[in-house]
Amino acid sequence: MPTNNSQARPFSYAGKLCFLVLQMVAACGLAQDPPTMTHGPILGRASHDSMTVWARTSLPTTFAVQYGVEPGKWTHSAESARTSLNHDCTGIATLTSLEADTEYHYQVYIDGSPQGGVNRFSTLPDSAKLVDPQLNPSGLFNFKFEIGSCANQNPLHGIGHALPLYQTMNREIADDIDFAIMNGDWLYEEVRDTPPEAWLANQRLTAQQAPAAVQVMPSIVGVWENYKLYMSRGVPLMKWHRRIPSYFTFDDHELVNDIWGAGSAGRRHRRTVFRDIGTQAWYDYLGWANPRQFQPPIHFGNAQLTAGSDLLVDHQADFTQLPLQEMANLHVHWGTPNAGANDMRFDDDSGDVNSKVYDIVRVVDAHTLQLHTPAIADTQSAYSIGCRSYGKFRVANCEFYLLDTRSHREMHDTKNPSKPGLTMLGKHQRQWLEESMQESDADFFFVVSSVPMMIPHSGAGGFEFEEGNKEEAWVAFLDEREGLVDFWDQLNKPVMVMTGDLHNSFAIRVTDRVWEFCCGPHNSVNHVPKLDEDDRPITGWYDSGPRRCDIRWSSYILEDIPRLDRCYPYYCVVQVNNVFNMPPKLGGTRAVAYPHPQVILQYFDGRTGELAYSETISKDHGSRP
């Protein structure tokens, strides 16, 4: 959630005449309708004894989630905090006191009235209850998760909102997996030009009543509306989220397509400085479900910048109270109505003259920051200080790392991909990742990166592509990538880098211990490897920068297929086999731990559910006795 102590200036977008008319109609209308749930529920933060439920309400209010082991026979209730306009009336309620490895039914209520239908979920097993000193000393258990990426619903861009893959997953695997990871590009930019006046009118608010987030970041309403559109028309998608608890990463489309250089001080670009606006909307709608290593939220406000001065002054802020050492850098916003639109027409220089990426040099006093470079004009500018959106979670003997590949990413140069020190993760995230993995006693590591490691993503358009510099993948950050691969390799444990962004799936053996598994697309039009992926082979050896890797399997689209016919979705189910059942009597249960547990990764056709490929990796895969 954002922090804000500013008296934000009113926005000045077009459409105020329409807004005034709507306000007059609202003022003459009947009393406001009672609050309802407009979107949701969504499940997240699964554990053996708790589950969190997200919902959006029509008005600021609380909601309750009633639950029990039998549908309609509610034995427990959990209540949310009051939803707020500052977060588009979204909120969460956490269900506690759950039994492990148990199916529950639940329903959302507002003021005692049921909202939506009755849904269900299952909790994870509890390791503490599974310990057997001889047969299963660590209390291990088997589990499954699904992972994928890229679910464009725009009907003009391919499959549309019928979402056949989600229909298939709801039918084939929803009762057989424990959780899901949506690895970026859940959202694609639509209705981003929604004016704040329209949002305010829908909430029956005046401009003076606009919440702080809308006053400082008016273009956030377009992202909020974007999420609501995808939830409202994506019926199979929401059926999935009501049943399966999920984790989420964000990639560029949650923010804005081809957003690069957010970590490069001095970078001036409309898309770059949309980072915190898009990220805040993501937290409101999806990011709440994720573990976070650092808790400080995004800080936003309005500040005075003076030509020739490197001081930023916000009299409503207290910078001495912000843990800046745990936050990201500072962005001065672009400030135009279409700042978050995926349209190259707006990639011009029309934004706030002081808009760019800034490093914070020091806190001068409670209201003043010293920046790395002076302003070029006197302005009253909207700004934000970003947060760190990465974290980890543990299931049995597996450690999961959810990386943020966008917030701290420095600007790449495809002409110099091996530039020393260039970073996608930022020094703090990389240090955290390496130290955490070094200290972990996990048997398996899953590193979730929203962009590919070994295969380029150098096509499919974009503003910077017109300048010959289009690249999304780690191949533009070879110094950092190669350092990470070498580090992972010496851990002497299987490291599976789960990637997305490219609209194809592939399984790649990078080293004997390091693998990349790209999973998707869930609903987006496939890329053509010959055009968008460096003309890499379907299978076989491939030279990715200085490193030769083995493409074991991939989905592949031939270049003679028209774009709107490239509609071949895939999903991946990962099964972790830690124990086998060997009961004293047939029909019973007794978990016996494998000396060498295995991870089985299976790719499925998103339309039919047929198995396309499988790879198995054991605990000591690649190790030498």
Side-chain angles (χ1 to χ4, degrees):
M1 296 182 181
T3 60
N4 179 65
N5 298 308
S6 67
Q7 296 295 320
R9 60 181 177 179
F11 49 81
S12 57
Y13 284 0
K16 288 191 175 179
L17 179 59
C18 175
F19 173 61
L20 291 173
V21 171
L22 288 169
Q23 285 291 307
M24 292 173 63
V25 171
C28 296
L30 300 175
Q32 202 166 44
D33 295 331
T36 61
M37 180 180 71
T38 66
H39 299 82
I42 295 176
L43 296 174
R45 300 182 184 176
S47 77
H48 69 273
D49 61 1
S50 66
M51 184 72 69
T52 298
V53 179
W54 174 97
R56 181 186 181 272
T57 60
S58 59
L59 301 168
T61 188
T62 60
F63 63 86
V65 180
Q66 298 193 26
Y67 56 102
V69 294
E70 295 184 49
K73 295 184 178 180
W74 311 130
T75 56
H76 295 78
S77 182
E79 188 161 306
S80 73
R82 184 177 177 84
T83 62
S84 74
L85 293 167
N86 220 36
H87 300 283
D88 202 26
C89 295
T90 60
I92 58 174
T94 298
L95 286 52
T96 59
S97 302
L98 304 179
E99 292 295 325
D101 201 13
T102 301
E103 182 176 86
Y104 282 88
H105 300 263
Y106 72 100
Q107 188 166 24
V108 174
Y109 284 76
I110 296 179
D111 292 338
S113 298
Q115 307 290 307
V118 175
N119 303 287
R120 59 194 171 100
F121 64 82
S122 296
T123 53
L124 292 171
D126 182 1
S127 289
K129 296 181 179 180
L130 299 174
V131 171
D132 182 299
Q134 284 75 43
L135 300 178
N136 190 12
S138 298
L140 297 180
F141 54 87
N142 300 335
F143 66 94
K144 292 182 182 180
F145 67 93
E146 185 274 334
I147 185 167
S149 61
C150 306
N152 194 345
Q153 290 188 31
N154 193 322
L156 300 177
H157 293 173
I159 298 176
H161 57 274
L163 297 157
L165 174 140
Y166 281 95
Q167 295 184 46
T168 301
M169 293 201 304
N170 284 324
R171 181 182 70 246
E172 299 290 336
I173 66 171
D175 290 331
D176 195 37
I177 65 168
D178 296 286
F179 60 92
I181 300 174
M182 180 58 187
N183 193 14
D185 293 341
W186 185 99
L187 192 72
Y188 281 69
E189 304 88 340
E190 295 185 60
V191 298
R192 291 291 183 96
D193 58 352
T194 301
E197 293 83 6
W199 184 89
L200 288 167
N202 188 55
Q203 299 295 330
R204 301 184 184 182
L205 299 174
T206 66
Q208 290 68 35
Q209 294 172 317
V214 176
Q215 292 195 38
V216 176
M217 305 181 291
S219 53
I220 196 173
V221 305
V223 194
W224 286 340
E225 295 302 315
N226 199 168
Y227 279 106
K228 285 180 279 192
L229 173 66
Y230 268 45
M231 291 182 179
S232 296
R233 73 183 182 193
V235 175
L237 172 70
M238 294 307 290
K239 181 179 180 181
W240 174 258
H241 286 312
R242 289 194 297 269
R243 175 74 177 89
I244 305 299
S246 295
Y247 298 91
F248 303 89
T249 64
F250 60 79
D251 198 43
D252 55 340
H253 291 287
E254 280 85 3
L255 310 183
V256 62
N257 186 37
D258 292 348
I259 180 172
W260 304 323
S264 288
R267 166 112 169 128
R268 174 176 169 82
H269 197 286
R270 171 180 72 90
R271 298 172 188 252
T272 300
V273 295
F274 198 74
R275 177 194 66 186
D276 296 336
I277 301 172
T279 301
Q280 181 56 57
W282 176 76
Y283 273 113
D284 293 336
Y285 276 84
L286 300 177
W288 57 269
N290 281 23
R292 290 179 61 190
Q293 185 66 20
F294 296 94
Q295 294 305 314
I298 298 168
H299 170 86
F300 63 88
N302 277 302
Q304 180 66 44
L305 295 167
T306 303
S309 171
D310 59 2
L311 300 181
L312 177 147
V313 181
D314 181 355
H315 290 293
Q316 305 304 318
D318 186 351
F319 295 120
T320 64
Q321 298 302 306
L322 291 181
L324 296 176
Q325 72 280 2
E326 297 180 3
M327 300 177 73
N329 54 12
L330 184 146
H331 288 187
V332 171
H333 298 172
W334 202 247
T336 60
N338 296 295
N342 182 21
D343 191 328
M344 290 168 57
R345 293 178 302 164
F346 304 124
D347 290 322
D348 52 26
D349 201 35
S350 62
D352 185 316
V353 295
N354 286 319
S355 177
K356 67 177 69 168
V357 179
Y358 293 87
D359 282 342
I360 299 172
V361 176
R362 65 187 179 99
V363 176
V364 177
D365 58 42
H367 309 307
T368 309
L369 295 175
Q370 182 185 2
L371 307 178
H372 83 282
T373 191
I376 63 173
D378 293 350
T379 59
Q380 184 77 16
S381 298
Y383 75 96
S384 55
I385 304 172
C387 63
R388 299 186 188 177
S389 299
Y390 51 89
K392 66 177 181 176
F393 65 97
R394 178 78 173 251
V395 180
N397 57 340
C398 299
E399 203 89 65
F400 293 79
Y401 295 89
L402 301 176
L403 301 184
D404 176 359
T405 66
R406 295 291 174 176
S407 296
H408 316 284
R409 175 183 179 134
E410 294 178 341
M411 189 59 207
H412 63 265
D413 181 358
T414 55
K415 296 178 182 178
N416 187 17
S418 299
K419 180 180 178 181
L422 191 68
T423 178
M424 180 185 290
L425 299 181
K427 65 178 182 179
H428 296 293
Q429 183 175 191
R430 180 173 174 180
Q431 181 180 357
W432 161 79
L433 176 66
E434 292 184 348
E435 289 179 354
S436 179
M437 295 180 75
Q438 190 75 57
E439 295 168 359
S440 175
D441 65 351
D443 292 328
F444 299 104
F445 292 120
F446 293 93
V447 179
V448 184
S449 162
S450 68
V451 296
M453 287 286 292
M454 308 307 293
I455 304 298
H457 180 183
S458 54
F463 172 69
E464 296 288 352
F465 181 58
E466 298 302 311
E467 300 178 357
N469 200 30
K470 165 77 176 185
E471 185 53 73
E472 300 293 318
W474 286 86
V475 297
F477 298 82
L478 290 176
D479 180 60
E480 183 168 56
R481 187 195 77 174
E482 291 301 294
L484 285 170
V485 171
D486 290 342
F487 167 75
W488 291 329
D489 199 42
Q490 61 86 27
L491 290 174
N492 206 31
K493 297 178 181 180
V495 178
M496 288 151 282
V497 187
M498 314 300 292
T499 63
D501 191 53
L502 274 176
H503 300 176
N504 278 308
S505 289
F506 45 81
I508 299 178
R509 185 177 63 184
V510 182
T511 74
D512 286 344
R513 302 176 186 86
V514 180
W515 297 73
E516 178 182 2
F517 295 98
C518 191
C519 309
H522 270 181
N523 202 61
S524 301
V525 167
N526 300 80
H527 288 136
V528 176
K530 187 174 184 64
L531 304 175
D532 304 322
E533 302 174 13
D534 191 42
D535 196 19
R536 49 92 177 172
I538 303 172
T539 57
W541 292 104
Y542 172 73
D543 291 322
S544 177
R547 189 177 294 271
R548 171 160 280 205
C549 59
D550 180 12
I551 302 176
R552 309 270 287 189
W553 170 85
S554 74
S555 61
Y556 198 91
I557 304 296
L558 296 174
E559 67 270 21
D560 62 350
I561 301 176
R563 174 178 170 77
L564 295 184
D565 290 331
R566 304 174 200 157
C567 299
Y568 298 90
Y570 286 87
Y571 62 91
C572 181
V573 174
V574 182
Q575 177 174 327
V576 179
N577 280 347
N578 285 316
V579 298
F580 64 94
N581 187 33
M582 185 49 59
K585 293 185 178 181
L586 192 65
T589 59
R590 182 171 60 170
V592 181
Y594 283 111
H596 303 278
Q598 320 98 40
V599 173
I600 305 171
L601 301 103
Q602 297 178 305
Y603 288 90
F604 294 90
D605 184 298
R607 292 183 178 274
T608 66
E610 293 182 359
L611 177 66
Y613 181 76
S614 178
E615 186 81 50
T616 300
I617 301 171
S618 68
K619 174 182 175 180
D620 297 315
H621 194 112
S623 299
R624 296 289 186 266

